[in-house]
């Protein structure tokens, strides 16, 4: 699965909404090159700066050459880039080139990058596009003079709403209007943020999946009844085999419903079995001891069932409850916290900004092999998160 903001990345000018003024300035710059050698697209996150650079390349049929901070400090690389197209043995033949220096906020004068960029602007044979969030820092004084400034505006509510509505409909999954509206409002003009929220909304709202969920719930109700009400069933340990639900989720259902079924000593015994199952659950997750699944399953079935010593099936109807939604939200937040801490470690290790690491997070499972993961010194929870994340996006 590709994140929505990559799947639907605006890749031509018509796709980049609300930036018409900027687009005509970009055209003018390109047509008048080399009167001005560089443009500096500046504005808040997720408003289309990087997309505009790629759109220009696509529409003008140019080869785009992206330089990051360390490329700028690399003499050979710079010299290669600065050669005019005719001297270059480019695979792309006669294609023109533009240079993109994306997200220069982090460049500095003393640690390098910035002076090289200024020199590059002097000597370049190709148009340069620079992007930044905030160009009003003092270190950019010279850069501001050498490049033409083009402001990329924060998008208004209506524009963001239109963009996400369009993408939601292309995904062919209905999302309620009020959800789309609140996503647009919350985004404060950041389309990437809005698309990430939309992704979550789509995951939760998918109707087909909801139907499937309901079927699963019928199964689990049926199974809970067996576990809680029929203590003498000899086949109780295989009771969960037919339920299409991960054991962790079954765990939550059991936990939620124990107090509706048991009282007094039964209740204490049931919680005891549950807490033992939880110990195994923890080991399975932390140490990948899958053979403990047998024990977890045993405790969650026979263990819970035999918490009651009754020999006859218990009569009466119990309205079983779905595990609290709050739990899901809590899990979601936990996940976000892990994602942030992994991104921070990665950012530090490879000297990029945290923001960038978060944005490109979907690449991390691919980039980070076993050795690299060890070097980052990820916690168990973080490793687990990364694995689950990888699984999810493999599909
Ligand atoms: N004006 C816009 N119209 C349509 N889609 C947009 C617009 N701005 C951003 N997007 C979408 O949001 C995502 C991020 O866009 P992009 O990478 O161009 O943002 P950016 O301005 O470079 O952000 P940052 O400052 O964080 O680098 C992409 O999926 C892109 O298609
Ligand atoms: Mg960008």
């Amino acid at each position: 699965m590709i994140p929505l903001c990559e799947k639907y990345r605006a890749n031509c000018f018509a796709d980049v909404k609300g930036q018409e003024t900027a687009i005509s300035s970009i055209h003018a710059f390109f047509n008048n090159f080399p009167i001005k050698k560089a443009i500096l697209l500046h504005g808040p996150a997720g408003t289309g700066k990087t997309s505009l650079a790629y759109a220009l390349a696509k529409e003008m049929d140019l080869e785009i050459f992206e330089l990051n901070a360390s490329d700028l400090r690399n003499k050979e690389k710079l010299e290669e880039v600065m050669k005019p197209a005719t001297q270059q043995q480019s695979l792309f033949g006669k294609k023109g080139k533009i240079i993109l220096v994306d997200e220069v906020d982090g460049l500095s004068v003393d640690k390098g990058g910035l002076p090289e960029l200024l020199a590059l602007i002097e000597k370049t044979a190709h148009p340069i596009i620079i992007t930044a969030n905030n160009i009003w820092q003092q270190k950019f004084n010279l850069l501001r003079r050498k490049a033409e400034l083009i402001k990329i505006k924060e998008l208004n509510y209506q524009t963001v709403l239109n963009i996400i509505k369009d993408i939601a409909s292309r995904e062919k999954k209905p999302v309620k209007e009020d959800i789309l509206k609140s996503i647009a409002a919350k985004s404060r003009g950041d389309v990437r943020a809005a698309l990430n929220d939309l992704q979550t909304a789509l995951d939760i709202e998918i109707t087909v999946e909801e139907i499937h969920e309901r079927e699963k719930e019928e199964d689990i109700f049926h199974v809970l009844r067996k576990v809680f009400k029929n203590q003498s069933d000899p086949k109780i340990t295989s009771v969960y085999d037919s339920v299409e639900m991960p054991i962790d989720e079954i765990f939550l259902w059991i936990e939620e419903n124990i107090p509706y079924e048991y009282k007094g000593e039964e209740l204490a015994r049931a919680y005891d079995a549950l807490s033992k199952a939880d110990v195994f659950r923890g080991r399975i997750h932390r140490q990948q001891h899958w053979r403990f699944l047998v024990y977890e399953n045993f405790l969650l079935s026979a263990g819970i069932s035999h918490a009651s010593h009754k020999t006859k099936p218990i009569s009466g109807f119990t309205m079983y409850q779905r595990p609290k939604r709050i739990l899901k939200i809590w899990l979601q937040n936990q996940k976000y916290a892990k994602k942030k801490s992994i991104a921070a470690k990665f950012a530090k290790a490879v000297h990029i900004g945290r923001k960038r690491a978060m944005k490109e997070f979907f690449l991390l499972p691919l980039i980070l092999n076993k050795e690299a993961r060890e070097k980052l010194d990820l916690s168990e929870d973080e490793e687990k998160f990364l694995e689950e994340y990888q699984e999810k996006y493999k599909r």
Side-chain angles (χ1 to χ4, degrees):
M1 199 172 92
I2 323 163
L4 289 182
C5 59
E6 293 309 319
K7 187 169 172 191
Y8 295 103
R9 173 173 284 284
N11 59 18
C12 59
F13 284 130
D15 285 347
V16 183
K17 306 294 178 195
Q19 307 294 6
E20 289 73 16
T21 323
I23 291 172
S24 55
S25 309
I26 295 172
H27 273 300
F29 158 75
F30 184 75
N31 293 331
N32 296 332
F33 181 83
I35 295 178
K36 276 272 178 186
K37 302 275 191 77
I39 40 173
L40 177 47
L41 306 182
H42 64 101
T47 48
K49 297 181 293 299
T50 305
S51 304
L52 282 169
Y54 280 90
L56 178 68
K58 188 173 170 217
E59 302 212 347
M60 299 291 152
D61 196 25
L62 305 164
E63 187 185 345
I64 199 159
F65 216 101
E66 196 171 338
L67 294 179
N68 61 28
S70 69
D71 296 334
L72 283 170
R73 284 183 235 117
N74 177 335
K75 273 220 165 72
E76 287 90 70
K77 177 123 191 182
L78 277 188
E79 267 157 28
E80 175 66 23
V81 172
M82 280 188 294
K83 281 185 196 163
T86 47
Q87 286 176 27
Q88 249 173 18
Q89 298 165 342
S90 164
L91 280 177
F92 298 87
K94 289 185 280 299
K95 237 184 184 185
K97 265 201 329 196
I98 52 169
I99 296 170
L100 170 62
V101 189
D102 207 8
E103 303 183 16
V104 297
D105 298 72
L107 294 188
S108 74
V109 183
D110 30 320
K111 280 194 213 126
L114 211 44
E116 289 84 351
L117 177 58
L118 293 171
L120 180 67
I121 295 174
E122 290 294 318
K123 288 182 251 167
T124 183
H126 314 284
I128 302 179
I129 302 183
I130 304 163
T131 80
N133 289 132
N134 175 13
I135 52 155
W136 303 112
Q137 313 167 53
Q138 204 197 329
K139 66 179 182 186
F140 290 143
N141 283 353
L142 259 176
L143 181 63
R144 284 201 305 273
R145 255 179 278 147
K146 292 202 173 202
E148 178 183 343
L149 305 188
I150 297 183
K151 189 171 158 64
I152 307 300
K153 286 182 303 190
E154 182 177 302
L155 298 175
N156 65 30
Y157 163 82
Q158 193 58 46
T159 309
V160 177
L161 184 61
N162 291 343
I163 293 171
I164 60 174
K165 263 190 187 171
D166 176 49
I167 289 178
S169 75
R170 285 204 263 166
E171 280 288 291
K172 300 200 175 55
K173 289 170 198 157
V175 182
K176 290 194 203 82
E177 180 85 11
D178 55 338
I179 292 184
L180 291 173
K181 282 183 177 163
S182 68
I183 291 176
K186 203 185 123 207
S187 77
R188 294 172 184 274
D190 181 342
V191 182
R192 185 186 302 104
L195 290 179
N196 288 343
D197 284 349
L198 177 64
Q199 185 132 36
T200 313
L202 288 173
D203 285 349
I204 296 170
E205 291 269 309
I206 313 165
T207 43
V208 205
E209 215 153 81
E210 235 169 39
I211 293 164
H212 190 62
E213 280 296 320
R214 250 176 257 142
E215 282 169 4
K216 280 203 303 197
E217 287 188 8
E218 275 163 29
D219 278 359
I220 188 85
F221 283 133
H222 179 69
V223 163
L224 288 175
R225 216 157 283 139
K226 277 194 186 168
V227 172
F228 284 122
K229 299 209 184 272
N230 195 358
Q231 275 67 23
S232 50
D233 183 347
K235 288 203 287 285
I236 197 75
T237 54
S238 50
V239 69
Y240 300 125
D241 292 358
S242 61
V243 197
E244 198 195 318
M245 193 182 267
I247 191 138
D248 285 354
E249 212 172 318
I250 294 176
F251 187 102
L252 296 178
W253 280 86
I254 296 281
E255 179 184 47
E256 184 76 25
N257 288 292
I258 286 176
Y260 296 108
E261 203 66 72
Y262 291 148
K263 297 277 170 298
E265 280 183 19
E266 292 172 348
L267 184 69
R269 280 195 294 269
Y271 275 131
D272 186 46
L274 188 74
S275 71
K276 284 180 180 140
D278 194 33
V279 171
F280 286 114
R281 200 176 68 88
R283 289 185 192 156
I284 294 166
H285 281 284
R286 283 194 301 275
Q287 298 152 9
Q288 308 285 304
H289 281 172
W290 295 105
R291 61 198 167 85
F292 287 154
L293 262 181
V294 178
Y295 302 116
E296 185 185 358
N297 180 66
F298 181 83
L299 287 158
L300 285 182
S301 55
I304 298 294
S305 193
H306 288 276
S308 162
H309 290 168
K310 298 194 183 67
T311 45
K312 280 196 203 120
I314 301 169
S315 59
F317 177 78
T318 308
M319 184 65 203
Y320 295 120
Q321 304 294 314
R322 172 183 303 133
K324 299 269 180 301
R325 199 177 172 74
I326 200 85
L327 194 63
K328 273 197 183 159
I329 295 167
W330 182 79
L331 287 172
Q332 196 64 41
N333 289 343
Q334 291 290 98
K335 281 190 182 153
Y336 187 65
K338 277 176 224 152
K339 185 169 173 180
K340 259 171 71 177
S341 62
I342 297 171
K345 286 180 181 176
F346 178 73
K348 197 170 165 215
V350 302
H351 306 287
I352 61 169
R354 288 180 185 202
K355 199 183 110 193
R356 170 134 186 217
M358 276 301 266
K359 250 188 318 192
E360 293 171 2
F361 195 88
F362 65 100
L363 291 171
L364 291 201
L366 308 173
I367 298 171
L368 295 175
N369 58 18
K370 201 158 172 283
E371 202 190 345
R373 285 176 203 210
E374 268 161 26
K375 278 198 190 133
L376 287 191
D377 198 19
L378 299 180
S379 73
E380 281 171 4
D381 278 346
E382 288 165 350
E383 291 218 26
K384 195 179 128 211
F385 174 83
L386 210 55
E387 267 155 34
E388 284 176 356
Y389 188 88
Q390 185 167 17
E391 278 304 309
K392 191 165 161 204
Y393 284 97
K394 217 155 54 183
R395 275 183 265 142

